[in-house]
Amino acid sequence: MPDNDPQTQLVKYLTDVHSIEEQAAVQMRRAPDLVEGAFADAFRKHLGETESQEQRVRARLEAHDASPSRLKDVAGQAGGFGMVLFARSQPDTPGKLAMHAFSYEHMEVAAYELLGIAAREAGDEATSALAAAIADEEREMAGRIAAHWDDAVEQALARVEPDDLGDTLNTYLADVHALEGQSKKLLEKSREMDVPEALRAALDHHLAETEGHLEKIERRLDDRGATPSAIKDAMLRLGALNWGAFFAAQPDTPAKLSGFAYAVENLEVAAYELLLRVARRAGDEETVALTESILAEEKAAAKSVADQWPVSMSVA
Ligand SMILES: [Fe+2]
Ligand SMILES: [Fe+2]
Ligand SMILES: [Fe+2]
């Protein structure tokens, strides 16, 4: 059978989401230890959902006679996202965990949306319905995390002295700068790929915006008198983690690119949500206004990528 026949594609997508769930379960088991109260409960609740998702996906794989060895192979090569391990290594653990968890849920949403398209192509109604149901569960979990941005910042800043709030704000600004830099690289790299025109246009549009974001954040750091090493330090923080590997994992199809870009844009959304709250606490109105305007563009960028999922799949 050719590699791109609907049946083979469907099994590939099922195998991918299965390994995503296995990693999610590991993360959901550890996450509640890193935060407190209702925020921790949100992760506990999603562990049960995640375990059920893994079982439901496995059942669909078995319905397609996917062999257990194949399952194991793919789980091994999935490449650790290492969200929890990373968060633990950071000074601002609750914030980083919230950010990465929010992005992970969106990666799952993308994976299930793409799975649903693959299932319909292959005429598998049961998998199509399952994908829609689980995508909704992932969106709900993303919403639960978003409901805790305030808690995440509260818990992250609990040990920061009021006098140090300005420096902390600079750290958050430098962190979004490092993320924008990685995101820019990904968008540039995607220009080397053969990508459907509508997706290309969405990505190029956001590449231009991203360059603007980088400049504006740099100027803000400058105006705030941040040390020149702030940006370099943030790049080191970002590189120290499995995020380096995350960004290095180059997507090889337009569908994967669109899923990955969706996760990256939502990572930025989360980073700006946190920055916004830190800037408010520090009483820096200019940073608040700048963050609000960039945040709106990041949300629009994520949506514009999601709008292209069917197109992205057409050339998978
Ligand atoms: Fe999941
Ligand atoms: Fe999830
Ligand atoms: Fe972005």
Side-chain angles (χ1 to χ4, degrees), residues 13 114 193 199 251 253-260 309 312-313 315-316:
Y13 278 94
L114 296 170
M193 284 176 71
L199 178 60
T253 63
K256 279 192 191 155
L257 173 66
S258 69
F260 193 69
W309 280 329
S312 312
M313 280 294 275
V315 291

Side-chain angles (χ1 to χ4, degrees), residues 17 20-22 24-25 28 46 49-51 53-54 57 104-105 108-109 112 134-135 137-138 141:
V17 295
I20 285 171
E21 293 305 345
E22 285 189 324
M28 290 306 135
H46 198 49
E49 288 170 345
T50 298
E51 286 170 343
Q53 291 165 357
E54 185 272 322
V57 169
Y104 199 91
E105 294 308 322
E108 293 190 286
V109 168
Y112 281 103
I134 298 183
E137 294 174 12
E138 310 297 13
M141 178 58 185

Side-chain angles (χ1 to χ4, degrees), residues 293-312:
S293 80
I294 297 181
L295 184 53
E297 290 186 350
E298 299 300 350
K299 286 181 178 172
K303 187 182 176 300
S304 73
V305 170
D307 288 344
Q308 300 309 325
W309 280 329
V311 173
S312 312

Side-chain angles (χ1 to χ4, degrees), residues 60 119-120 122-131:
R60 290 316 301 154
R120 286 188 287 283
D124 177 348
E125 290 291 329
T127 299
S128 163
L130 178 65

